[in-house]
Amino acid sequence: MLPALVLFAACTRGSPAEERTAWLAALGLEDPAAAFEACMALHDDALRADCGLAAAERLAHTRGPTTGDLLARCRRLDGWAADECAFQVGERRRDPAACAAAGRFADDCRLHLFSTGLASWVPAGASPSDPALLERLRSEGAATGLDPTDERAASAYFRWVLGGRVPLDRGACDALSDPALQDACRHTGLALYADRLNHARDTRTYPCGGGVLPASLAYAPDPEIDRLRQRREEEDLCP
């Protein structure tokens, strides 16, 4: 039997204030399955999408429904909300099958699964040119449904490996025999360092007076990073 809240909302097109009250009530239901049904009874498109997504995400954390059950609920949402719902299901259940239903977010969903899984198979201190890890890179990418030509998987792998090396050493990329992978590795390392500079800028931890770099910004001799630092000091690090 449907909760009274659902039956009332389904038969009544309330004012904006009443819709918001029903939205808050639906979100407050303890049972996420009941919350989802209450969300679907809302008439306001934006509130229904927001509410349905929140309820579906909560439901994905529970053990009862299968991925198929969750995706069936996602299909009851409209447009981007249905795609986002499938993305969330894929994320919570770590299921590439859900990513395949994520429409415009399908590839992002697959890449997210790949990236968040790196910690489970890339050991600390790994070398970016390790043949076994490069083979695993290909197999893990395929397992999540990524296109073999999608360079983002390689970039995510290199970012993870280089990010675990202190100091940052892009010279490790030179051991890669594939020129395309070597180039991707070096570009990823430079982008990683740029992100670290952004963090130092935002936290005001960059030594503008010429002091010693913090450990997070340490790097092996690298003329390209030297030039990046100089340019960034002039642009935004040390205004």
Side-chain angles (χ1 to χ4, degrees), residues 181-199:
L181 287 178
Q182 187 180 119
D183 187 61
C185 180
R186 293 190 65 83
H187 274 83
T188 297
L190 194 64
L192 172 61
Y193 197 81
D195 288 342
R196 291 180 175 180
L197 289 178
N198 291 341
H199 179 74

Side-chain angles (χ1 to χ4, degrees), residues 124-141:
S127 167
S129 61
D130 185 319
L133 292 180
L134 290 175
E135 181 58 37
R136 187 72 182 269
L137 162 64
R138 287 184 282 270
S139 64
E140 290 289 335

